[in-house]
Amino acid sequence: MSPYIKGDLSLHSAMEMKKENQNNIQALDISIAGLVQGVGFRPFIFKLALDHGLTGWVENRNDGVKIHVEGNSPDIESFFGSIKEKAPVASQIHQISQTPSSFKHYSDFRIVKSENISNDVTEICPDIAVCDQCLTDMRQQEHRLRYPFINCTNCGPRFTIIKDLPYDREKTTMQPFVMCELCHEEYTNMLDRRFHAQPVACKRCGPKYGFHNKQLQTDDLEEILKNASQLIDNGEVLAIKGLGGFHLACNALDNKAVKELRSEKNRDGKPFAVMFRDLETCRKFAHLSEKEKKLITSWRKPIVLLKSKKELAEDVCVGFDTVGAMLPYMPIHYLLFDKLKTDVIVLTSGNISDEPILIDNQLAGRELGKITDHFLDYNRDVHNRTDDSVTMVVNNKPRLLRRSRGYVPNPVNTSLDVEGIMATGAELVNCFCIGKNKQALLSQHIGDLKNLETLDFYTQTIDRFKQMFRAEPKLIAADMHPDYLSSRWAAEQDLPVVKVQHHHAHIASCMAEHELDEEVIGIAMDGVGYGSDGHIWGGEFLRCDLNDYKRYFHLEYIPMPGGDAATKHPWRMAVSYLYHYFGEDFLKEDIPFLNKIDPHELSLVRGMLKNNMNSPLTSSTGRLFDAVAALTGLCLDSSFHAEAPMRLESIIGSNLTDAYSFKIENNTISLKPAFEEILRDIAQNEDVGTISARFHNTVININFEAAKAISEESGLNKVVLSGGTFQNRYLLEKTEKLLQKNAFNVYTHGRIPANDGGLALGQLLIAAKRRSLQCV
């Protein structure tokens, strides 16, 4: 069988043009690196070559796309210039080079069979939301009428189905589905939109959905859609297999259904994400800026955190003033909304709380069967599980909060050689990172490494990344915390390990995103990070580069009574701050939240503080926010991670600029004056929203004053902000603006999460820098 797929150039008169311009003929080899596989790049190049009357070939290799063209010099020059200008929307060209070549006298332009030539790799495309052209075809093409797996070279599953490179059908989970004659004709027709679309299929030959519950089992699509839509409209919970795993869905306007889902999923108080029927419906329920509109309708189709306008069922947002909104991104979503009466559904990860999203049909049936009897699944495997990505817009810039579907495995280009290095990440919202040449490959969102199921997902995904990206780590970077499962895994690999301080890694991750390799002022604010002194850090003001750091200022150390228990019971941190600043005298004050605490529990915590028992010291910003949220009565006990800080943010009063006081002494930032003023406001029955605004403004002022002091001593002017606390929209927006107003150059996260989901990138760059300096 010929390794070539030939195109008909007769319409373009290429040969006639060559004969007329024999003296102006040129041959050129072109190499392109970047995201150029799985995005319709070869068909694009083929059509571009036809348009310019060129002959030659294009092929996928595991290190990128290679092109050989022959033709008139002006046509080749125009062709080369058009590659970047007109490339497919989901492609990303990082490097393109050309070299003169010998003339081979090709008579046509060809697409050459993919070749695996080395351990270099090209980029793997993330999954792409179904395109408008395919949605039109789904209504018109006879063999794809209402077909829920319709796709083309511009859309459809990619990362979730790929097993290995190069990206060809036999190396994906589409391999078992043999193309019918009509699909094969489209697949091999260079002028067809489905030319070499690896997941191409139709009703005759492709994957199928099935529906089953105790009463019915069917693979008839119309029967499936009828039953699924009726169940949701009638208040039932439905398990739906999506691109990267299962979701659980219910009517987002039916509070009884939402409450039942929350209870059965053991979700407690964490908000649910919702999917709106269309953009118009989304506008009815949420405020939407132009930048947010562009983000939510992009080919990545992430969840976008929006300010609420019209209320959904009470248990969807559970008292928060934002909603996690997304639009349909799979054909099945559009087909369901055709039948649904409701305009908005809850669509949350199909898992039991804290475990990975489920991808296997049988396992999902057993596990999710505890939540629902109704399943809508399909018979194609998900190879690489992905959750929905989560984003927000702050200061008119999109920010990733959870990086997964639609973004992974896009690499981060780096200024350093990171080949042979792997970074294991943190414990919460874990992602790992593998280095390849000068690119960092962050994994999809793994989750919290606190159970066997998530650890298995973690190790399995490491193995798959190593295979797909031809990576053989020789050096591992890990967090300093000795008890993190990621750090323990690193220690077991029989490889050199670079231990990286948590907050140094946070700053380095943001530096990596902006390709900074110099000394900066770093402000790292989060909930927990193991410090070099053995204490728990989290409110850190650093002078650092990619090699090392100096801790200039930090929030005052405060005991955490009960250790990790304090993170689940914010009232403990409130009591700890009060005891630290006022001793037992705080009990003489009329502080309302104290009346809500069990006297025995309060006495136990006081005993811990008095006797310095089981109360590790922390400088954590997260624990400070916990204390103020409890002190104001907003959140005494957390039902999910960071609930107290989130509730404190959601209640902020508008247009307030005043703040509380603080002191900086001996590199320590004391909030005693602030707590005195907060207690005064509480005694005067000040509005909680006002207290929250003043407190947030205080933290913003601390950030500015600390950065100013470091700058005055060091001469540094670049400030890098990182850590999970900077997911607080108000804090990030105001801090960034205040620093910029005072002539600082400010660097913040956009493409990489500020939380621990981006930590591995920083670990990787620190290890690479130390290796380059022969420090490891």
Side-chain angles (χ1 to χ4, degrees):
M1 184 176 178
S2 171
Y4 302 114
I5 304 166
K6 299 184 179 182
D8 182 2
L9 290 177
S10 60
L11 295 176
H12 298 263
S13 304
M15 294 309 298
E16 286 80 354
M17 291 171 65
K18 267 210 265 187
K19 289 175 183 177
E20 292 172 10
N21 298 280
Q22 287 293 334
N23 295 329
N24 202 22
I25 293 295
Q26 179 186 6
L28 200 66
D29 287 335
I30 300 171
S31 297
I32 304 174
L35 178 50
V36 288
Q37 288 193 20
V39 290
F41 207 86
R42 286 181 300 172
F44 156 72
I45 291 295
F46 173 76
K47 291 171 186 175
L48 199 63
L50 291 187
D51 291 342
H52 288 82
L54 305 177
T55 62
W57 50 261
V58 58
E59 74 169 315
N60 270 348
R61 294 182 182 176
N62 53 314
D63 60 343
V65 164
K66 306 295 178 185
I67 304 166
H68 176 88
V69 285
E70 299 177 357
N72 299 318
S73 294
D75 292 331
I76 288 182
E77 185 177 339
S78 175
F79 167 84
F80 186 82
S82 297
I83 292 175
K84 268 196 167 184
E85 181 184 337
K86 299 179 179 179
V89 63
S91 67
Q92 294 175 11
I93 296 174
H94 299 314
Q95 187 176 19
I96 180 168
S97 61
Q98 57 172 308
T99 54
S101 182
S102 57
F103 195 71
K104 302 289 175 45
H105 301 281
Y106 288 105
S107 60
D108 54 15
F109 196 86
R110 311 171 178 185
I111 290 185
V112 180
K113 185 175 176 65
S114 301
E115 188 176 352
N116 187 341
I117 63 161
S118 71
N119 281 332
D120 289 334
V121 295
T122 189
E123 294 176 26
I124 297 174
C125 182
D127 298 281
I128 307 173
V130 61
C131 68
D132 290 340
Q133 289 172 295
C134 278
L135 290 175
T136 299
D137 288 349
M138 192 169 69
R139 315 292 183 193
Q140 296 177 358
Q141 273 191 345
E142 183 180 351
H143 60 304
R144 292 195 179 91
L145 281 175
R146 299 174 66 74
Y147 181 57
F149 293 93
I150 193 167
N151 66 86
C152 68
T153 55
N154 301 318
C155 72
R158 298 293 191 271
F159 174 64
T160 52
I161 64 171
I162 192 168
K163 293 181 175 181
D164 201 0
L165 290 177
Y167 175 62
D168 287 320
R169 190 180 182 101
E170 62 265 22
K171 294 180 184 287
T172 74
T173 59
M174 283 297 297
Q175 186 271 334
F177 301 95
V178 179
M179 278 181 271
C180 67
E181 186 176 339
L182 188 50
C183 284
H184 189 265
E185 183 179 325
E186 294 169 322
Y187 181 84
T188 54
N189 181 356
M190 296 185 186
L191 298 178
D192 194 283
R193 201 176 80 254
R194 294 185 172 86
F195 172 70
H196 271 216
Q198 304 305 336
V200 68
C202 71
K203 292 191 289 186
R204 302 167 187 166
C205 63
K208 290 185 177 182
Y209 268 98
F211 174 86
H212 59 92
N213 59 17
K214 292 178 180 177
Q215 290 77 39
L216 177 68
Q217 183 167 337
T218 180
D219 63 0
D220 179 83
L221 183 65
E222 295 311 311
E223 189 76 9
I224 288 170
L225 296 173
K226 173 188 168 186
N227 280 275
S229 58
Q230 285 179 352
L231 285 165
I232 291 174
D233 283 330
N234 291 335
E236 297 289 333
V237 173
L238 175 68
I240 305 174
K241 189 174 181 180
L243 270 178
F246 278 82
H247 287 103
L248 291 165
C250 71
N251 185 351
L253 301 177
D254 183 339
N255 200 55
K256 182 180 177 183
V258 179
K259 189 182 286 287
E260 179 184 338
L261 174 57
R262 183 172 295 286
S263 172
E264 293 296 328
K265 195 171 185 263
N266 194 24
R267 179 85 171 197
D268 297 325
K270 195 173 184 181
F272 281 128
V274 299
M275 178 176 282
F276 291 104
R277 177 184 296 274
D278 50 33
L279 191 63
E280 183 181 349
T281 305
C282 183
R283 287 188 187 279
K284 292 178 183 177
F285 287 89
H287 298 279
L288 203 65
S289 69
E290 274 303 308
K291 186 66 74 171
E292 288 165 336
K293 173 190 169 185
K294 185 176 180 181
L295 184 57
I296 203 171
T297 58
S298 70
W299 63 267
R300 302 180 191 272
K301 291 285 181 77
I303 295 170
V304 183
L305 296 186
L306 303 172
K307 286 288 184 180
S308 297
K309 181 191 296 184
K310 181 181 176 182
E311 286 191 8
L312 297 162
E314 182 183 358
D315 266 63
V316 172
C317 300
V318 286
F320 290 99
D321 63 344
T322 55
V323 58
M326 59 181 150
L327 296 177
Y329 58 85
M330 293 178 69
I332 193 70
H333 298 150
Y334 289 90
L335 292 170
L336 271 173
F337 274 115
D338 282 349
K339 297 285 188 179
L340 282 166
K341 295 176 183 176
T342 185
D343 286 333
V344 53
I345 59 174
V346 167
L347 201 67
T348 187
S349 298
N351 62 342
I352 306 300
S353 189
D354 294 331
E355 293 182 9
I357 186 171
L358 291 160
I359 58 174
D360 178 78
N361 291 357
Q362 290 187 338
L363 184 59
R366 289 199 302 270
E367 294 297 320
L368 300 183
K370 303 167 187 174
I371 297 174
T372 180
D373 294 327
H374 315 295
F375 286 82
L376 176 54
D377 55 28
Y378 56 80
N379 61 342
R380 183 183 68 204
D381 289 340
V382 173
H383 189 69
N384 299 302
R385 76 182 83 204
T386 59
D387 292 85
D388 292 314
S389 295
V390 182
T391 63
M392 67 177 179
V393 174
V394 179
N395 286 339
N396 210 35
K397 175 181 175 180
R399 320 275 181 161
L400 264 170
L401 305 180
R402 182 169 75 194
R403 187 176 184 269
S404 201
R405 177 186 55 77
Y407 293 88
V408 173
N410 275 172
V412 178
N413 293 320
T414 71
S415 57
L416 295 171
D417 178 12
V418 291
E419 181 73 38
I421 305 176
M422 178 189 165
T424 60
E427 181 172 73
L428 299 181
V429 293
N430 178 276
C431 294
F432 64 82
C433 191
I434 285 179
K436 192 72 183 174
N437 298 322
K438 287 192 172 183
Q439 289 189 324
L441 296 152
L442 271 166
S443 75
Q444 67 269 45
H445 168 77
I446 301 292
D448 296 348
L449 290 180
K450 289 189 171 183
N451 56 58
L452 182 60
E453 291 82 3
T454 309
L455 182 62
D456 286 345
F457 173 31
Y458 177 75
T459 56
Q460 179 191 69
T461 308
I462 288 172
D463 290 340
R464 289 180 177 178
F465 264 59
K466 285 163 64 177
Q467 176 188 333
M468 281 191 291
F469 298 109
R470 314 306 197 259
E472 282 298 329
K474 306 296 182 186
L475 179 66
I476 297 181
D479 194 275
M480 285 175 58
H481 199 301
D483 293 330
Y484 280 179
L485 287 181
S486 56
S487 300
R488 290 182 182 180
W489 183 89
E492 294 168 357
Q493 300 312 301
D494 197 27
L495 289 171
V497 177
V498 177
K499 292 294 184 74
V500 181
Q501 200 283 320
H502 191 91
H503 301 95
H504 186 202
H506 267 308
I507 300 303
S509 72
C510 190
M511 292 174 68
E513 181 174 340
H514 295 280
E515 295 192 56
L516 294 175
D517 185 5
E518 59 190 281
E519 199 172 25
V520 300
I521 299 168
I523 301 178
M525 295 188 137
D526 65 2
V528 58
Y530 191 80
S532 58
D533 59 2
H535 298 318
I536 300 167
W537 292 7
E540 311 307 315
F541 301 85
L542 312 175
R543 176 179 175 178
C544 64
D545 55 24
L546 291 177
N547 178 46
D548 206 355
Y549 68 94
K550 178 181 178 182
R551 192 187 193 199
Y552 259 69
F553 304 108
H554 62 85
L555 295 183
E556 187 172 9
Y557 280 131
I558 303 293
M560 281 179 65
D564 282 347
T567 66
K568 300 173 182 177
H569 305 288
W571 68 264
R572 290 185 175 219
M573 286 310 303
V575 169
S576 185
Y577 267 93
L578 293 174
Y579 186 89
H580 180 76
Y581 290 139
F582 312 113
E584 293 280 355
D585 288 347
F586 80 88
L587 294 170
K588 301 174 185 176
E589 302 295 327
D590 182 19
I591 310 175
F593 90 96
L594 291 173
N595 299 325
K596 300 177 182 178
I597 301 171
D598 179 89
H600 176 71
E601 288 287 320
L602 180 58
S603 176
L604 186 67
V605 166
R606 286 166 51 209
M608 289 181 185
L609 296 171
K610 183 177 181 180
N611 298 305
N612 193 25
M613 183 176 63
N614 191 23
S615 299
L617 296 178
T618 182
S619 60
S620 163
T621 310
R623 301 296 74 77
L624 170 63
F625 273 74
D626 281 352
V628 176
L631 191 59
T632 54
L634 272 177
C635 183
L636 273 65
D637 299 286
S638 291
S639 60
F640 64 92
H641 175 69
E643 178 180 4
M646 288 171 63
R647 294 206 179 278
L648 194 61
E649 179 191 1
S650 70
I651 204 75
I652 292 174
S654 59
N655 302 319
L656 291 168
T657 57
D658 53 328
Y660 297 123
S661 307
F662 59 91
K663 294 188 300 183
I664 301 181
E665 292 180 343
N666 300 321
N667 297 340
T668 298
I669 300 164
S670 171
L671 275 297
K672 183 176 181 180
F675 273 78
E676 291 172 339
E677 292 163 14
I678 291 171
L679 288 175
R680 181 198 63 203
D681 278 352
I682 291 172
Q684 294 175 358
N685 295 315
E686 184 62 84
D687 177 70
V688 177
T690 299
I691 296 174
S692 177
R694 288 172 177 163
F695 169 70
H696 277 81
N697 292 339
T698 304
V699 178
I700 292 162
N701 290 343
I702 288 172
N703 290 339
F704 170 67
E705 291 298 334
K708 179 182 171 186
I710 298 174
S711 178
E712 287 173 350
E713 181 175 325
S714 66
L716 297 172
N717 190 54
K718 293 182 177 179
V719 181
V720 175
L721 308 180
S722 189
T725 301
F726 284 110
Q727 293 175 124
N728 181 310
R729 192 190 303 257
Y730 183 94
L731 184 69
L732 175 58
E733 177 186 331
K734 303 293 185 182
T735 298
E736 193 173 38
K737 285 181 176 178
L738 179 60
L739 289 166
Q740 288 171 341
K741 181 181 176 182
N742 286 274
F744 284 100
N745 293 323
V746 186
Y747 297 86
T748 58
H749 288 276
R751 295 177 293 123
I752 303 299
N755 59 40
D756 284 3
L759 197 79
L761 176 62
Q763 294 172 341
L764 188 85
L765 266 290
I766 289 169
K769 186 66 176 181
R770 290 178 182 173
R771 183 178 67 178
S772 72
L773 297 173
Q774 298 184 331
C775 297
V776 295

